[in-house]
Amino acid sequence: MNPQAIVLSASIFGGLAVFIFGMHLMSDGLQKTVGDRMRGILSMLASHPIKGIIAGIVAAVIFQSSSATILMTLSFANAGLIGLRQAISVIIGANLGATVTSQITAFDLDSYAWIFVFIGFVLLFFMKSKEWAKDAGQIIFGFGIFFVGIATMDAAFIQLADTKSFTDIVSWMSGMPVAAVLFGLLLALLLNSSAAVIALIQCVTVMSLEGVIPVILGANVGVAIRTFLSAGRTSVNGKRAATAHVVFNITAFVIAIWFIPQIAYIVEAISPQGLQGDVIARQAANVNLIFNLFGAVIFLLLSGVLSKILKKCFKDDVTDSKLHNDEYSGYLDVNIINQPEVAMHMVIRELLRIGRLARDMFIKCKRAFISADIKTAEQVIDEDRTINVLRDRLVRYLSEILASENTNDYQKNAIAEFYHMAADVEHIGDYCKNIATLAIEKEKNEYRLSDKAYTEIYECFDLVKKMMDDTFDAIDEGSSKIADSVIHQEDKIDIVEADFRSRHINRLESGECDTASTVVYVDVMHNLERIGDSCSNIAEAINRGFIFKRENEGQ
């Protein structure tokens, strides 16, 4: 292999690497800039299908990747937060949103690439004390690097165009659609990016439009397969959504592959006129756009039928509804770690799941103590181990999000609050276990409490139960109003606990209650009061740095 070929090959692959790096820089910067506004996009997922498509388009532009957007959607479907029809609409939008990148790369901005790099560098390194400037600098710097990569590939392919061996390979591929499809599919599988494949093809100015079309069709199928394989173990709903994405691209491919001349005619009609080498970049971008628009139309028309077919192919499993009660499953998905806002949304769902398990423990420990149910008390003690496992897993997941380079200062502060909230939920489980242990101790030692003592304990349980319900509602709704109410309730519980303790001392002095049972009474009240403290801590965390407020709250 001659030295020139080595240099040109290095330029092509090096330019492609720089292009992908620029895409990642832009994506990271966009995610940091959008930040908590990503919630508005996420809230569209579960609404009307058209809004789902729009959300998919916007998310794909922000993430600079249809794969990342679809993996996010699969994570939501897997968690049961969105239905199959909504998932399909977002997948359609993601595929459409991915066409934006190829439209941008079709512009001849190579000459201005270093200007963008310089502007981005100045903002990124000389104004980094300002968050907006640092994020904007990263986006602009990434945009410049993006086109530096394209310019590098362009220069290499221009030199290759003068070599007979290269033009022969291109001509052979243009006349062999199957080879072109396989080339696009395998390259997309390797790079996990149809945009990167299309950017590469846009630089091959000697390739005909008829040769470009099957490469782009293959790239779209390759990305769908790669995303499907990346989805990993999912619930039935997640499998349906992942399969829908593959079916989306393969169905459109099977139809489109038979109409390459017709697609070429439409693309030539809507693209600028000129020499093939001058217009191939825009033509390639328009091929990608037409293919995905075509697929979107098919799926909008057939999404209902597809949903029914997938539901028959992947039948609901009775065990699937129990996935979220098992200590080894939940809402946390490693595929979305690099999308902090989305990952944090899933953290909230997982935190609520653990909190509801803790609330169930609370109901059981109340029954165990009031009704002298030792078997239920033992269940509570066993369930506390599950809470501990889930909390540890949540903390590890939060640490992985924090380690991501995509997190902004707001998200870092919110993650810090999540750490405290997870600890407080675990503490609630610990206090429930303590009460269950006291229930067992009370029965084994035959301690007896007066009716008044039981009445007071029962009343305190009810007050704390209301407080717990409001706490998890505050998390779910992001409501500072409910959080404030929880904090006020904690003050009331402190007063009630002190009053009841004083009454019990009076009963002890009058002989209504015995000394041995006093320890149990005081410890139960103390643990209930500590549960109230943990709820109050969570409410304060919501008000400090974790307010996912609904748009209409307070109106």
Side-chain angles (χ1 to χ4, degrees), residues 147-446:
F147 278 99
V148 167
I150 293 174
T152 304
M153 289 189 289
D154 269 337
F157 279 117
I158 287 172
Q159 293 183 58
L160 280 174
D162 295 330
T163 63
K164 186 176 185 303
S165 58
F166 178 73
T167 54
D168 287 345
I169 292 171
V170 171
S171 298
W172 173 79
M173 190 177 291
S174 296
M176 290 283 291
V178 174
V181 167
L182 287 174
F183 174 76
L185 188 151
L186 293 174
L187 198 56
L189 278 173
L190 178 66
L191 300 174
N192 194 26
S193 171
S194 59
V197 177
I198 295 167
L200 184 69
I201 294 302
Q202 286 174 323
C203 298
V204 186
T205 56
V206 294
M207 183 174 275
S208 67
L209 178 57
E210 286 76 10
V212 165
I213 292 172
V215 174
I216 293 174
L217 299 186
N220 278 275
V221 174
V223 167
I225 294 172
R226 177 64 183 265
T227 305
F228 180 81
L229 295 174
S230 299
R233 177 181 176 271
T234 63
S235 66
V236 169
N237 206 35
K239 288 174 184 174
R240 290 169 180 163
T243 304
H245 178 223
V246 175
V247 172
F248 176 100
N249 282 42
I250 291 179
T251 303
F253 164 78
V254 169
I255 297 173
I257 198 69
W258 297 101
F259 296 96
I260 289 178
Q262 289 79 4
I263 294 172
Y265 177 80
I266 295 171
V267 169
E268 287 176 342
I270 64 174
S271 302
Q273 303 301 308
L275 297 174
Q276 183 66 22
D278 296 332
V279 298
I280 190 64
R282 183 62 62 188
Q283 287 179 341
N286 288 338
V287 169
N288 192 40
L289 177 62
I290 288 171
F291 173 76
N292 282 287
L293 280 173
F294 172 67
V297 170
I298 291 175
F299 262 69
L300 282 173
L301 295 174
L302 301 178
S303 61
V305 175
L306 179 64
S307 296
K308 291 179 182 177
I309 293 172
L310 290 173
K311 285 177 181 178
K312 287 184 179 180
C313 293
F314 299 97
K315 295 189 177 181
D316 290 315
D317 187 347
V318 290
T319 60
D320 195 55
S321 62
K322 298 179 182 178
L323 274 175
H324 305 303
N325 290 323
D326 184 277
E327 64 183 79
Y328 298 110
S329 66
Y331 294 103
L332 308 182
D333 189 342
V334 295
N335 289 314
I336 56 173
I337 285 290
N338 290 320
Q339 301 165 26
E341 193 67 28
V342 181
M344 285 165 59
H345 186 87
M346 303 308 282
V347 165
I348 297 169
R349 309 316 302 175
E350 180 69 1
L351 191 64
L352 280 169
R353 181 174 82 96
I354 301 171
R356 284 163 183 154
L357 290 174
R359 184 173 58 188
D360 289 343
M361 285 177 64
F362 180 81
I363 294 170
K364 289 177 182 177
C365 78
K366 174 186 176 181
R367 182 166 68 245
F369 191 88
I370 299 296
S371 303
D373 189 341
I374 292 180
K375 185 177 179 181
T376 299
E378 289 170 346
Q379 286 179 3
V380 172
I381 293 170
D382 187 58
E383 287 172 3
D384 181 59
R385 299 188 189 99
T386 299
I387 295 287
N388 293 339
V389 170
L390 293 173
R391 183 259 181 181
D392 290 345
R393 191 162 61 90
L394 179 57
V395 168
R396 286 196 298 272
Y397 191 80
L398 286 168
S399 299
E400 289 177 13
I401 299 173
L402 198 58
S404 167
E405 296 179 355
N406 301 342
T407 51
N408 58 30
D409 288 343
Y410 170 81
Q411 290 162 347
K412 289 174 183 175
N413 290 334
I415 288 170
E417 298 297 346
F418 284 138
Y419 279 123
H420 295 302
M421 295 169 77
D424 278 307
V425 171
E426 184 190 25
H427 292 159
I428 290 172
D430 292 339
Y431 300 135
C432 290
K433 181 187 74 172
N434 292 345
I435 294 172
T437 303
L438 288 168
I440 295 172
E441 181 184 337
K442 177 170 70 75
E443 290 311 304
K444 285 185 176 179
N445 294 302
E446 297 183 351

Side-chain angles (χ1 to χ4, degrees), residues 488-499:
H488 292 317
Q489 289 176 60
E490 199 268 335
D491 293 336
K492 180 180 178 181
I493 286 174
D494 287 345
I495 294 169
V496 168
E497 192 263 345
D499 180 46

